[in-house]
Amino acid sequence: MSRVNLLQSPQAPAASQALLGQIQQAFGATPNMFKAVANSPGALQSMWAAFGALSKGSLGATLGEQLAVAIANRNHCEYCLSAHTALGQKAGASAQQMAAAQIGQSADPRTAAALRFALKVVSERGQITDGDVASLHEVGFGDEQVVEILAHVALNLFTNYVNVALNVPIDFPKVALQHGDSAH
């Protein structure tokens, strides 16, 4: 049971209603996470704008979804893990690629480096080293992508914490948390 009301557009604050309409149109339904966040028009605007901005970023949809599942698994957020596994497959990743990303792994060296970096940022609360950034540069990421990976981390921490703290019911095909990522 969610710890806050899950608001449909008619019950939501007026400032949330237009955004809920955009979300409904984008997904074909309004995911429970957005119904929970709709209690705060400012939080909903912030979250939806971040998703929109990062969807136009230079990392691409597949890597963004792989980062999301790795961070969700690390934070024990089954809601985000389930949602982003589905979205990752919709973006073209295989089930195997998403399962590997969930535990911070990838056969692709660039993806693997991005996942390692993101998980270290989460685990170390941002206390990374020059070498951590250099490892991204070595596989071809520029400063734009380094900053964008950090933006994905921040957005996913926001969504993970909303769903875990508020106990938002999962409304995507459920994916089980995995243990076994090396950075734990």
Side-chain angles (χ1 to χ4, degrees), residues 41-173:
L44 184 62
Q45 182 178 358
S46 173
M47 183 182 282
W48 189 238
F51 275 118
L54 291 176
S55 74
K56 298 175 186 80
S58 63
L59 294 179
T62 302
L63 181 53
E65 299 302 341
Q66 289 171 304
L67 289 165
V69 297
I71 296 164
N73 195 71
R74 175 59 52 85
N75 288 321
H76 303 154
C77 182
E78 287 182 304
Y79 188 99
C80 289
L81 175 61
S82 299
H84 289 286
T85 296
L87 293 169
Q89 290 176 292
K90 189 176 175 188
S94 69
Q96 295 79 9
Q97 288 172 313
M98 294 309 292
Q102 182 180 342
I103 56 170
Q105 298 175 0
S106 175
D108 174 62
R110 259 180 118 241
T111 301
L115 294 170
R116 273 192 307 276
F117 178 81
L119 290 173
K120 184 166 185 187
V121 169
V122 171
S123 296
E124 302 299 322
R125 296 186 171 106
Q127 302 298 313
I128 59 166
T129 67
D130 293 347
D132 295 323
V133 174
S135 71
L136 291 177
H137 289 151
E138 288 167 10
V139 295
F141 288 113
D143 289 346
E144 176 183 0
Q145 290 80 35
V146 172
V147 173
E148 199 170 307
I149 291 168
L150 290 170
H152 276 275
V153 169
L155 175 57
N156 283 284
L157 289 175
F158 181 17
T159 62
N160 291 178
Y161 290 177
V162 161
N163 289 299
V164 172
L166 300 179
N167 198 34
V168 175
I170 299 170
D171 52 353
F172 288 88

